[in-house]
Every structure is written in structure tokens, then in C-alpha cells.
Amino acid sequence: PGTISIADDDTVLARTIGGHLAGNLALENYRVLQDIVVDANQTWTIAPGTSLLFNPGLNLTANGKVIAQGTSGLPIEFGS
């Protein structure tokens, strides 16, 4: 088996995310490192104020339900 090293780096400005997702995504800035898929019969709720920045060529596929309801003061941002 390989070894994984994780450094404590206070310069990181976003958490990383990707894969098959469901449930609630907390307010945070996220860097999307792999495609996001919401499977059929699943719900993924994104908190107001959340930012999702996708690496080039990545997608969000909703075979289930995505709830992304921001507010004027806490918009949800999708970008790259």
C-alpha cells in the first residue's frame, strides 16, 4: 500500500470535493477535483453562501435532486 501525506497549510482557501454526493453541503468554499454525481432517488442540498469552483472539464450530473437556493446576501456560486 502507498503512503498519503497531508500537510497543515493555512494558505488553502477551499476544501476539495467530488464524486457521488447526497445529503447537505455546509457553507464553505469548495474546489471540485472530480465530477459530481447526484444519483437517482438522492437529494443533495447546497447551503446558501457556498462556492463551488470546478477544475476545467468537470461536470455536475443530477440524476436525482439538487437543491441550491441562495439568498441575495448569501448567493450560491458555481464557477471555474
Side-chain angles (χ1 to χ4, degrees):
T3 302
I4 299 174
S5 296
I6 301 173
D8 183 7
D9 185 350
D10 291 336
T11 65
V12 173
L13 300 177
R15 295 185 182 275
T16 58
I17 194 170
H20 291 257
L21 301 177
N24 297 313
L25 185 65
L27 188 160
E28 187 68 66
N29 295 321
Y30 296 94
R31 170 62 66 182
V32 180
L33 299 182
Q34 58 181 303
D35 287 332
I36 293 175
V37 177
V38 179
D39 292 322
N41 302 313
Q42 297 293 316
T43 300
W44 186 44
T45 303
I46 303 169
T50 297
S51 173
L52 294 162
L53 298 177
F54 286 73
N55 279 357
L58 296 181
N59 297 294
L60 166 60
T61 302
N63 298 315
K65 185 176 185 178
V66 176
I67 300 173
Q69 295 178 327
T71 66
S72 59
L74 290 171
I76 295 172
E77 299 179 5
F78 293 88
S80 58

